[in-house]
Amino acid sequence: KMESSKIKFLNGHSGQLGMEDESVDLVTVSQALHWMEPVGTFKEVNRVLRKGGVFAAIDCDWPPVINGEAEWLYQEFLARCRRRAKQEGHTEGVVKWEKDEHLQRMKDRKSAEASAAEEKMESSKIKFLNGHSGQLGMEDESVDLVTVSQALHWMEPVGTFKEVNRVLRKGGVFAAIDCDWPPVINGEAEWLYQEFLARCRRRAKQEGHTEGVVKWEKDEHLQRMKDSKQFTYVREILVHSTEHGTAKRLVDLALSQGPVGTMMRNGITAEQLGVAEFKQAVEKSMGDKTWTWYFCYRIRVGQK
């Protein structure tokens, strides 16, 4: 039954889940988080979750609500068992984290990570700031390089290019980096990837999930940079990198894309999206071998 339902039970440790980075959308723990060392557990959960993924720790308040006397008898009996276990040394070496502190520990981990990141950034002179592409919060002519990676299509171009020009020193460079999806693998696998995402986009549009979303086409970036008159020199540079991947990696890559996440956040299931059929077709096309992948990048460069 498990084989047919694709459910697997694996031995492991909460600090070593044995899954790829950013490979799952949901991690749940039922009635067990109090036995798991929190720092390593939360770090590992963060590693395997995709962006926007959810960790859910489920606990039951014992006993269930029945009547005051029956509940008291239940609690008193278990309290006696716990005291005796402790007195006789049966709990020696057992570490347990209180359930009512789970939430605070999850928050504390985020705070600790933020503090560590801040310290690291301070020592390396790197800063992460919230902001807007049309309001960079830097002084006039204060930087030599501004880069945008896989994001220019979300930025209003007129204000963005004007602001980039303002903060760049004379001769400074603006570089917008975009990847051509999917990577070059084989014709059939690439077609399956594109067709799957096209279906997701069509459905998202039909059901109104993209209403109000404004996006600028990537293949028009270069012309918009020229039309902006903010750069003295504009050019597109092509580069590539070589990696290796399997059918599983291509499926995971497709599932990490925006249109799929949009549909799933709006309650559309993997079954309704045809994920199983897509996976089966990719596995048939690529087999179980590892392929060479060529990631192709377009860098649109503008010099002030």
Side-chain angles (χ1 to χ4, degrees):
K1 188 176 181 181
M2 286 190 291
E3 208 168 289
S4 63
S5 66
K6 297 183 181 175
I7 294 172
K8 289 182 182 178
F9 288 88
L10 305 171
N11 288 322
H13 185 278
S14 64
Q16 293 178 317
L17 295 179
M19 291 179 277
E20 293 181 8
D21 294 354
E22 299 184 357
S23 57
V24 299
D25 295 305
L26 177 65
V27 175
T28 63
V29 177
S30 182
Q31 311 274 34
L33 189 58
H34 51 288
W35 299 118
M36 300 177 186
E37 188 281 314
V39 176
T41 297
F42 299 148
K43 187 176 180 181
E44 180 69 351
V45 166
N46 180 273
R47 181 187 69 78
V48 303
L49 279 177
R50 295 188 183 100
K51 188 175 181 183
V54 171
F55 172 65
I58 305 154
D59 282 299
C60 184
D61 284 347
W62 296 102
V65 178
I66 307 167
N67 72 54
E69 186 180 16
E71 292 166 38
W72 179 85
L73 290 167
Y74 175 102
Q75 289 167 327
E76 183 58 26
F77 171 70
L78 286 183
R80 286 202 309 273
C81 292
R82 288 190 191 100
R83 284 195 298 271
R84 183 160 180 175
K86 190 174 181 181
Q87 288 164 1
E88 297 185 10
H90 302 310
T91 58
E92 216 167 283
V94 174
V95 182
K96 185 179 176 185
W97 284 267
E98 293 303 318
K99 294 181 183 181
D100 57 7
E101 296 172 11
H102 286 338
L103 193 65
Q104 191 56 51
R105 276 190 291 270
M106 290 166 73
K107 291 177 180 176
D108 290 346
R109 179 192 174 276
K110 191 175 180 183
S111 302
E113 280 194 346
S115 300
E118 280 169 18
E119 284 175 25
K120 192 175 180 183
M121 286 190 291
E122 211 168 285
S123 62
S124 65
K125 297 182 180 177
I126 293 173
K127 288 183 181 177
F128 288 89
L129 304 173
N130 287 321
H132 187 277
S133 65
Q135 293 177 316
L136 296 178
M138 290 179 278
E139 292 181 10
D140 293 355
E141 299 186 352
S142 58
V143 301
D144 295 304
L145 177 66
V146 175
T147 64
V148 178
S149 181
Q150 310 272 41
L152 188 59
H153 52 289
W154 300 119
M155 300 177 186
E156 188 283 313
V158 175
T160 297
F161 298 147
K162 187 177 179 181
E163 180 69 350
V164 166
N165 178 280
R166 182 185 70 79
V167 302
L168 279 176
R169 295 188 183 100
K170 188 176 179 181
V173 171
F174 171 67
I177 305 154
D178 282 298
C179 183
D180 284 350
W181 296 104
V184 177
I185 308 168
N186 78 47
E188 186 180 22
E190 292 167 41
W191 181 84
L192 289 167
Y193 175 101
Q194 290 167 326
E195 183 60 23
F196 173 70
L197 286 180
R199 285 202 309 273
C200 292
R201 288 191 190 97
R202 283 195 298 271
R203 184 160 184 174
K205 190 174 182 180
Q206 287 164 1
E207 298 186 10
H209 302 310
T210 59
E211 217 166 282
V213 176
V214 182
K215 185 179 176 184
W216 285 266
E217 292 302 317
K218 294 181 182 182
D219 58 8
E220 296 172 12
H221 285 337
L222 194 71
Q223 191 58 51
R224 278 190 290 267
M225 289 169 68
K226 290 177 180 176
D227 293 343
S228 75
K229 308 297 183 188
Q230 300 295 331
F231 308 103
T232 60
Y233 174 80
V234 176
R235 178 72 188 264
E236 183 174 83
I237 298 170
L238 306 179
V239 297
H240 81 273
S241 66
T242 305
E243 297 183 25
H244 296 89
T246 59
K248 182 182 184 303
R249 186 181 177 192
L250 186 61
V251 171
D252 288 344
L253 185 65
L255 297 182
S256 73
Q257 298 300 306
V260 184
T262 297
M263 297 307 293
M264 288 186 168
R265 281 194 299 275
N266 284 280
I268 306 301
T269 65
E271 185 179 359
Q272 289 170 314
L273 288 177
V275 172
E277 292 82 355
F278 167 61
K279 182 182 176 185
Q280 188 177 25
V282 171
E283 287 173 346
K284 184 179 178 183
S285 173
M286 295 179 66
D288 57 3
K289 79 175 207 178
T290 299
W291 292 69
T292 300
W293 291 19
Y294 296 93
F295 283 90
C296 304
Y297 298 91
R298 299 173 189 272
I299 308 173
R300 283 94 180 190
V301 174
Q303 186 175 31
K304 181 174 176 177

